[in-house]
Amino acid sequence: MKHFLARHATMRHRLYSLYYTAFSYGRSFAILFICLWIGNLISMILPIVIPGSIIGLLLLFFLLTFQLIPTKWVKNGCNLFMRYMTILFIPAAMGIMDNYIYLVHSWAPILISSIASTFIVMIVIGWFTQRLYDRSTRNKNTSVDEGQSQ
């Protein structure tokens, strides 16, 4: 879009820049919504309790991981959604406030499970990080020892 506003750009260059930007956003949104739609379809067909949006997100993850879709195809749309993510969570927060009475009655299990899951995640990530750190220092020491023995 910055090329569209440049003073030295010709009208043809500005139109090309505008077309390219609109096309890249459209392609990003199309890929994201197709993954969401397929995830919702899979969720309706299969007897599982995983929401369709999560299945669509996993589908997008696998498409990007196995490089079936280039990352640059979804980059613009994802950046736009990430920029305005807090606005997208407002309806969910209002839904929670509509059911506030259920939260008041079951505050203890919610609090205990939140604290327990936080500690479990901290322990697992700490253990995993320590293993990776030990492995990297062991590899560095091995390469240094091999360099000195030559």
Side-chain angles (χ1 to χ4, degrees), residues 72-90:
K72 66 179 183 176
W73 283 11
V74 292
K75 185 177 181 180
N76 287 336
C78 291
N79 284 340
L80 187 69
F81 280 139
M82 292 294 287
R83 188 180 308 143
Y84 298 110
M85 186 180 279
T86 54
I87 295 172
L88 298 174
F89 279 117
I90 289 175

PDB file of all heavy atoms in Angstrom, residues 72-90:
ATOM      1  N   LYS A  72       3.487 -17.059   2.647  1.00  0.00           N
ATOM      2  CA  LYS A  72       3.174 -15.697   2.219  1.00  0.00           C
ATOM      3  C   LYS A  72       1.737 -15.569   1.724  1.00  0.00           C
ATOM      4  O   LYS A  72       1.209 -14.474   1.675  1.00  0.00           O
ATOM      5  CB  LYS A  72       4.154 -15.229   1.143  1.00  0.00           C
ATOM      6  CG  LYS A  72       4.065 -15.967  -0.163  1.00  0.00           C
ATOM      7  CD  LYS A  72       5.062 -15.413  -1.164  1.00  0.00           C
ATOM      8  CE  LYS A  72       4.886 -16.125  -2.501  1.00  0.00           C
ATOM      9  NZ  LYS A  72       5.759 -15.573  -3.508  1.00  0.00           N
ATOM     10  N   TRP A  73       1.092 -16.689   1.383  1.00  0.00           N
ATOM     11  CA  TRP A  73      -0.292 -16.631   0.931  1.00  0.00           C
ATOM     12  C   TRP A  73      -1.254 -16.262   2.053  1.00  0.00           C
ATOM     13  O   TRP A  73      -2.301 -15.688   1.797  1.00  0.00           O
ATOM     14  CB  TRP A  73      -0.709 -17.959   0.328  1.00  0.00           C
ATOM     15  CG  TRP A  73      -0.198 -18.204  -1.052  1.00  0.00           C
ATOM     16  CD1 TRP A  73       0.739 -17.475  -1.721  1.00  0.00           C
ATOM     17  CD2 TRP A  73      -0.586 -19.258  -1.916  1.00  0.00           C
ATOM     18  NE1 TRP A  73       0.966 -18.025  -2.952  1.00  0.00           N
ATOM     19  CE2 TRP A  73       0.157 -19.121  -3.106  1.00  0.00           C
ATOM     20  CE3 TRP A  73      -1.477 -20.310  -1.803  1.00  0.00           C
ATOM     21  CZ2 TRP A  73       0.029 -19.977  -4.161  1.00  0.00           C
ATOM     22  CZ3 TRP A  73      -1.598 -21.172  -2.866  1.00  0.00           C
ATOM     23  CH2 TRP A  73      -0.862 -21.010  -4.020  1.00  0.00           C
ATOM     24  N   VAL A  74      -0.938 -16.616   3.295  1.00  0.00           N
ATOM     25  CA  VAL A  74      -1.840 -16.324   4.408  1.00  0.00           C
ATOM     26  C   VAL A  74      -1.298 -15.256   5.352  1.00  0.00           C
ATOM     27  O   VAL A  74      -1.942 -14.910   6.335  1.00  0.00           O
ATOM     28  CB  VAL A  74      -2.161 -17.602   5.213  1.00  0.00           C
ATOM     29  CG1 VAL A  74      -2.982 -18.557   4.403  1.00  0.00           C
ATOM     30  CG2 VAL A  74      -0.921 -18.249   5.745  1.00  0.00           C
ATOM     31  N   LYS A  75      -0.125 -14.722   5.052  1.00  0.00           N
ATOM     32  CA  LYS A  75       0.530 -13.790   5.967  1.00  0.00           C
ATOM     33  C   LYS A  75      -0.282 -12.515   6.189  1.00  0.00           C
ATOM     34  O   LYS A  75      -0.476 -12.094   7.330  1.00  0.00           O
ATOM     35  CB  LYS A  75       1.923 -13.443   5.434  1.00  0.00           C
ATOM     36  CG  LYS A  75       2.725 -12.586   6.367  1.00  0.00           C
ATOM     37  CD  LYS A  75       4.112 -12.339   5.823  1.00  0.00           C
ATOM     38  CE  LYS A  75       4.907 -11.494   6.798  1.00  0.00           C
ATOM     39  NZ  LYS A  75       6.241 -11.232   6.303  1.00  0.00           N
ATOM     40  N   ASN A  76      -0.768 -11.891   5.129  1.00  0.00           N
ATOM     41  CA  ASN A  76      -1.497 -10.628   5.282  1.00  0.00           C
ATOM     42  C   ASN A  76      -2.772 -10.795   6.097  1.00  0.00           C
ATOM     43  O   ASN A  76      -3.069  -9.998   6.986  1.00  0.00           O
ATOM     44  CB  ASN A  76      -1.824 -10.026   3.915  1.00  0.00           C
ATOM     45  CG  ASN A  76      -0.615  -9.457   3.239  1.00  0.00           C
ATOM     46  OD1 ASN A  76       0.361  -9.096   3.890  1.00  0.00           O
ATOM     47  ND2 ASN A  76      -0.658  -9.367   1.919  1.00  0.00           N
ATOM     48  N   GLY A  77      -3.546 -11.820   5.806  1.00  0.00           N
ATOM     49  CA  GLY A  77      -4.786 -12.052   6.541  1.00  0.00           C
ATOM     50  C   GLY A  77      -4.529 -12.366   8.003  1.00  0.00           C
ATOM     51  O   GLY A  77      -5.236 -11.881   8.888  1.00  0.00           O
ATOM     52  N   CYS A  78      -3.508 -13.184   8.266  1.00  0.00           N
ATOM     53  CA  CYS A  78      -3.181 -13.524   9.652  1.00  0.00           C
ATOM     54  C   CYS A  78      -2.689 -12.307  10.427  1.00  0.00           C
ATOM     55  O   CYS A  78      -3.053 -12.115  11.590  1.00  0.00           O
ATOM     56  CB  CYS A  78      -2.141 -14.631   9.693  1.00  0.00           C
ATOM     57  SG  CYS A  78      -2.760 -16.213   9.120  1.00  0.00           S
ATOM     58  N   ASN A  79      -1.875 -11.475   9.789  1.00  0.00           N
ATOM     59  CA  ASN A  79      -1.407 -10.261  10.456  1.00  0.00           C
ATOM     60  C   ASN A  79      -2.571  -9.339  10.791  1.00  0.00           C
ATOM     61  O   ASN A  79      -2.603  -8.727  11.863  1.00  0.00           O
ATOM     62  CB  ASN A  79      -0.389  -9.524   9.592  1.00  0.00           C
ATOM     63  CG  ASN A  79       0.962 -10.194   9.598  1.00  0.00           C
ATOM     64  OD1 ASN A  79       1.276 -10.968  10.492  1.00  0.00           O
ATOM     65  ND2 ASN A  79       1.762  -9.914   8.589  1.00  0.00           N
ATOM     66  N   LEU A  80      -3.533  -9.234   9.887  1.00  0.00           N
ATOM     67  CA  LEU A  80      -4.692  -8.385  10.140  1.00  0.00           C
ATOM     68  C   LEU A  80      -5.529  -8.927  11.294  1.00  0.00           C
ATOM     69  O   LEU A  80      -5.940  -8.167  12.182  1.00  0.00           O
ATOM     70  CB  LEU A  80      -5.547  -8.263   8.875  1.00  0.00           C
ATOM     71  CG  LEU A  80      -6.688  -7.270   8.940  1.00  0.00           C
ATOM     72  CD1 LEU A  80      -6.144  -5.846   8.990  1.00  0.00           C
ATOM     73  CD2 LEU A  80      -7.600  -7.435   7.748  1.00  0.00           C
ATOM     74  N   PHE A  81      -5.758 -10.237  11.314  1.00  0.00           N
ATOM     75  CA  PHE A  81      -6.517 -10.829  12.415  1.00  0.00           C
ATOM     76  C   PHE A  81      -5.775 -10.701  13.739  1.00  0.00           C
ATOM     77  O   PHE A  81      -6.386 -10.451  14.778  1.00  0.00           O
ATOM     78  CB  PHE A  81      -6.822 -12.302  12.139  1.00  0.00           C
ATOM     79  CG  PHE A  81      -7.984 -12.513  11.212  1.00  0.00           C
ATOM     80  CD1 PHE A  81      -7.926 -13.479  10.233  1.00  0.00           C
ATOM     81  CD2 PHE A  81      -9.134 -11.755  11.334  1.00  0.00           C
ATOM     82  CE1 PHE A  81      -8.995 -13.685   9.381  1.00  0.00           C
ATOM     83  CE2 PHE A  81     -10.207 -11.950  10.485  1.00  0.00           C
ATOM     84  CZ  PHE A  81     -10.140 -12.916   9.508  1.00  0.00           C
ATOM     85  N   MET A  82      -4.459 -10.865  13.718  1.00  0.00           N
ATOM     86  CA  MET A  82      -3.685 -10.740  14.954  1.00  0.00           C
ATOM     87  C   MET A  82      -3.700  -9.310  15.482  1.00  0.00           C
ATOM     88  O   MET A  82      -3.711  -9.084  16.688  1.00  0.00           O
ATOM     89  CB  MET A  82      -2.238 -11.190  14.729  1.00  0.00           C
ATOM     90  CG  MET A  82      -2.081 -12.658  14.457  1.00  0.00           C
ATOM     91  SD  MET A  82      -2.529 -13.675  15.842  1.00  0.00           S
ATOM     92  CE  MET A  82      -1.158 -13.365  16.915  1.00  0.00           C
ATOM     93  N   ARG A  83      -3.695  -8.341  14.580  1.00  0.00           N
ATOM     94  CA  ARG A  83      -3.710  -6.940  14.985  1.00  0.00           C
ATOM     95  C   ARG A  83      -5.002  -6.591  15.730  1.00  0.00           C
ATOM     96  O   ARG A  83      -4.994  -5.828  16.685  1.00  0.00           O
ATOM     97  CB  ARG A  83      -3.548  -6.047  13.760  1.00  0.00           C
ATOM     98  CG  ARG A  83      -3.369  -4.586  14.116  1.00  0.00           C
ATOM     99  CD  ARG A  83      -3.202  -3.704  12.914  1.00  0.00           C
ATOM    100  NE  ARG A  83      -2.157  -4.215  12.038  1.00  0.00           N
ATOM    101  CZ  ARG A  83      -2.200  -4.165  10.712  1.00  0.00           C
ATOM    102  NH1 ARG A  83      -3.234  -3.615  10.103  1.00  0.00           N
ATOM    103  NH2 ARG A  83      -1.224  -4.641   9.989  1.00  0.00           N
ATOM    104  N   TYR A  84      -6.112  -7.153  15.286  1.00  0.00           N
ATOM    105  CA  TYR A  84      -7.410  -6.817  15.872  1.00  0.00           C
ATOM    106  C   TYR A  84      -7.993  -7.968  16.680  1.00  0.00           C
ATOM    107  O   TYR A  84      -9.203  -8.090  16.819  1.00  0.00           O
ATOM    108  CB  TYR A  84      -8.378  -6.390  14.767  1.00  0.00           C
ATOM    109  CG  TYR A  84      -7.900  -5.160  14.043  1.00  0.00           C
ATOM    110  CD1 TYR A  84      -7.457  -5.232  12.735  1.00  0.00           C
ATOM    111  CD2 TYR A  84      -7.845  -3.937  14.699  1.00  0.00           C
ATOM    112  CE1 TYR A  84      -6.994  -4.106  12.079  1.00  0.00           C
ATOM    113  CE2 TYR A  84      -7.379  -2.813  14.061  1.00  0.00           C
ATOM    114  CZ  TYR A  84      -6.958  -2.906  12.750  1.00  0.00           C
ATOM    115  OH  TYR A  84      -6.486  -1.803  12.108  1.00  0.00           O
ATOM    116  N   MET A  85      -7.137  -8.801  17.243  1.00  0.00           N
ATOM    117  CA  MET A  85      -7.593  -9.965  17.980  1.00  0.00           C
ATOM    118  C   MET A  85      -8.426  -9.605  19.208  1.00  0.00           C
ATOM    119  O   MET A  85      -9.402 -10.279  19.522  1.00  0.00           O
ATOM    120  CB  MET A  85      -6.412 -10.832  18.398  1.00  0.00           C
ATOM    121  CG  MET A  85      -6.827 -12.137  19.048  1.00  0.00           C
ATOM    122  SD  MET A  85      -5.438 -13.124  19.531  1.00  0.00           S
ATOM    123  CE  MET A  85      -5.026 -13.860  17.971  1.00  0.00           C
ATOM    124  N   THR A  86      -8.069  -8.548  19.910  1.00  0.00           N
ATOM    125  CA  THR A  86      -8.827  -8.195  21.108  1.00  0.00           C
ATOM    126  C   THR A  86     -10.270  -7.836  20.765  1.00  0.00           C
ATOM    127  O   THR A  86     -11.188  -8.162  21.517  1.00  0.00           O
ATOM    128  CB  THR A  86      -8.167  -7.023  21.844  1.00  0.00           C
ATOM    129  OG1 THR A  86      -7.997  -5.929  20.939  1.00  0.00           O
ATOM    130  CG2 THR A  86      -6.826  -7.421  22.403  1.00  0.00           C
ATOM    131  N   ILE A  87     -10.484  -7.200  19.639  1.00  0.00           N
ATOM    132  CA  ILE A  87     -11.846  -6.871  19.222  1.00  0.00           C
ATOM    133  C   ILE A  87     -12.621  -8.142  18.902  1.00  0.00           C
ATOM    134  O   ILE A  87     -13.820  -8.238  19.177  1.00  0.00           O
ATOM    135  CB  ILE A  87     -11.823  -5.918  18.008  1.00  0.00           C
ATOM    136  CG1 ILE A  87     -11.204  -4.585  18.424  1.00  0.00           C
ATOM    137  CG2 ILE A  87     -13.213  -5.702  17.442  1.00  0.00           C
ATOM    138  CD1 ILE A  87     -10.952  -3.644  17.267  1.00  0.00           C
ATOM    139  N   LEU A  88     -11.929  -9.152  18.364  1.00  0.00           N
ATOM    140  CA  LEU A  88     -12.594 -10.401  18.022  1.00  0.00           C
ATOM    141  C   LEU A  88     -13.001 -11.199  19.259  1.00  0.00           C
ATOM    142  O   LEU A  88     -13.898 -12.033  19.186  1.00  0.00           O
ATOM    143  CB  LEU A  88     -11.689 -11.254  17.123  1.00  0.00           C
ATOM    144  CG  LEU A  88     -11.332 -10.634  15.772  1.00  0.00           C
ATOM    145  CD1 LEU A  88     -10.310 -11.498  15.048  1.00  0.00           C
ATOM    146  CD2 LEU A  88     -12.567 -10.449  14.919  1.00  0.00           C
ATOM    147  N   PHE A  89     -12.355 -10.952  20.405  1.00  0.00           N
ATOM    148  CA  PHE A  89     -12.703 -11.678  21.622  1.00  0.00           C
ATOM    149  C   PHE A  89     -13.807 -11.004  22.425  1.00  0.00           C
ATOM    150  O   PHE A  89     -14.267 -11.564  23.416  1.00  0.00           O
ATOM    151  CB  PHE A  89     -11.471 -11.875  22.513  1.00  0.00           C
ATOM    152  CG  PHE A  89     -10.616 -13.013  22.080  1.00  0.00           C
ATOM    153  CD1 PHE A  89      -9.319 -12.804  21.666  1.00  0.00           C
ATOM    154  CD2 PHE A  89     -11.111 -14.297  22.087  1.00  0.00           C
ATOM    155  CE1 PHE A  89      -8.532 -13.857  21.270  1.00  0.00           C
ATOM    156  CE2 PHE A  89     -10.331 -15.370  21.685  1.00  0.00           C
ATOM    157  CZ  PHE A  89      -9.033 -15.144  21.280  1.00  0.00           C
ATOM    158  N   ILE A  90     -14.245  -9.833  22.058  1.00  0.00           N
ATOM    159  CA  ILE A  90     -15.298  -9.145  22.809  1.00  0.00           C
ATOM    160  C   ILE A  90     -16.590  -9.952  22.845  1.00  0.00           C
ATOM    161  O   ILE A  90     -17.207 -10.083  23.906  1.00  0.00           O
ATOM    162  CB  ILE A  90     -15.508  -7.711  22.277  1.00  0.00           C
ATOM    163  CG1 ILE A  90     -14.302  -6.864  22.668  1.00  0.00           C
ATOM    164  CG2 ILE A  90     -16.789  -7.101  22.813  1.00  0.00           C
ATOM    165  CD1 ILE A  90     -14.324  -5.461  22.112  1.00  0.00           C
TER     166      ILE A  90
END
